[in-house]
C-alpha cells in the first residue's frame, strides 16, 4: 500500500513474524506533519515493546518485505539532501535494530553508490527489492486505523 499524503496525520498497523518464532509482531506506524515513527510489539506471556524507529520519511516512503525466509524483517528507504539511504529493520534478542545497508548520492554530476554494511547478501536483497518501483507485491501491507476500519473489525 502507498502511504497517504505527508501533510496528513494517520496511524496504521500490520502483523509480521520478524523474529521467526511463529508469533507475528504488531507493527504500528504513526505519522504527523513533522515526523514518523514505527513501533514494534510482541507477545510472550504478555505484550511488550520491542522497540521503535523514527524517520521523517517513514510516512511517505514504502516499507518493503522479502519473500526469502533468510530476510524476514523490514527493508526501508529514506532520502534527504539528494542522497537515498537503504536500510533493514530487524529483531534480534527482543530488540529492534536498524542497520544501514547502502546509499546512492545524487548530488554530483553522476550518481554515486556506496555499500555500508558488510552483509553483502542483505545488500543484494535490498537492491533487488527496491529495483522495481512499479512492483507492489513486496510492500508491507498496512491497515489504516480510522473509525471506518475500527467499525469493520467489530462487526
Amino acid at each position: 500500500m502507498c502511504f497517504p499524503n505527508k501533510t496528513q496525520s494517520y496511524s496504521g498497523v500490520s502483523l509480521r513474524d520478524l523474529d521467526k518464532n511463529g508469533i507475528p509482531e504488531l507493527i504500528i506506524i504513526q505519522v504527523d506533519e513533522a515526523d514518523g515513527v514505527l513501533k514494534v510489539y510482541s507477545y510472550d506471556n504478555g505484550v511488550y515493546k520491542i522497540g521503535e524507529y523514527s524517520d521523517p520519511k517513514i510516512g511517505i516512503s514504502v516499507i518493503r518485505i522479502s519473500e526469502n525466509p533468510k530476510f524476514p524483517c523490514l527493508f526501508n528507504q529514506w532520502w534527504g539532501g539528494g542522497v537515498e539511504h537503504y536500510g533493514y529493520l530487524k529483531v534480534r534478542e527482543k530488540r529492534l535494530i536498524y542497520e544501514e545497508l547502502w546509499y546512492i548520492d545524487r548530488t554530483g554530476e553522476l550518481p554515486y553508490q556506496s555499500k555500508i554494511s558488510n552483509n553483502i547478501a542483505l545488500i543484494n536483497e535490498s537492491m533487488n527489492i527496491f529495483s522495481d518501483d512499479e512492483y507492489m507485491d513486496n510492500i508491507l501491507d498496512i491497515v489504516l486505523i480510522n473509525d471506518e476500519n475500527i467499525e469493520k473489525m467489530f462487526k
Side-chain angles (χ1 to χ4, degrees):
M1 137 174 211
C2 291
F3 292 105
N5 185 316
K6 180 65 173 161
T7 61
Q8 299 175 4
S9 295
Y10 70 92
S11 295
V13 297
S14 187
L15 291 172
R16 184 156 174 94
D17 188 1
L18 301 175
D19 57 7
K20 300 191 294 187
N21 69 353
I23 301 170
E25 280 65 43
L26 174 65
I27 302 163
I28 300 173
I29 297 176
Q30 296 172 301
V31 175
D32 62 28
E33 288 80 14
D35 202 7
V37 63
L38 179 144
K39 300 176 184 179
V40 178
Y41 293 84
S42 192
Y43 183 85
D44 184 9
N45 296 321
V47 175
Y48 66 94
K49 185 176 181 179
I50 292 177
E52 65 182 57
Y53 170 76
S54 183
D55 175 347
K57 304 290 191 206
I58 202 90
I60 58 174
S61 63
V62 294
I63 297 170
R64 296 189 183 248
I65 56 176
S66 172
E67 295 306 318
N68 184 333
K70 292 181 182 178
F71 311 111
C73 294
L74 308 173
F75 291 88
N76 80 318
Q77 172 195 31
W78 65 275
W79 59 90
V83 181
E84 299 169 15
H85 302 265
Y86 297 85
Y88 189 62
L89 287 158
K90 60 187 169 187
V91 173
R92 183 183 302 149
E93 299 174 4
K94 297 185 178 185
R95 290 187 16 233
L96 184 66
I97 299 168
Y98 177 76
E99 180 179 355
E100 191 163 1
L101 301 176
W102 59 288
Y103 69 88
I104 299 175
D105 185 337
R106 298 185 184 277
T107 59
E109 201 171 301
L110 296 173
Y112 172 77
Q113 180 176 312
S114 181
K115 297 175 183 175
I116 298 169
S117 172
N118 292 327
N119 190 334
I120 300 303
L122 191 58
I123 290 171
N124 289 340
E125 186 70 9
S126 173
M127 288 179 173
N128 181 49
I129 283 174
F130 284 101
S131 66
D132 186 356
D133 288 334
E134 301 300 318
Y135 184 66
M136 303 296 276
D137 287 349
N138 66 3
I139 295 175
L140 180 68
D141 189 24
I142 301 289
V143 176
L144 293 180
I145 300 173
N146 57 35
D147 291 340
E148 182 180 319
N149 286 339
I150 291 172
E151 288 174 15
K152 286 180 186 176
M153 288 171 29
F154 291 102
K155 285 187 177 181

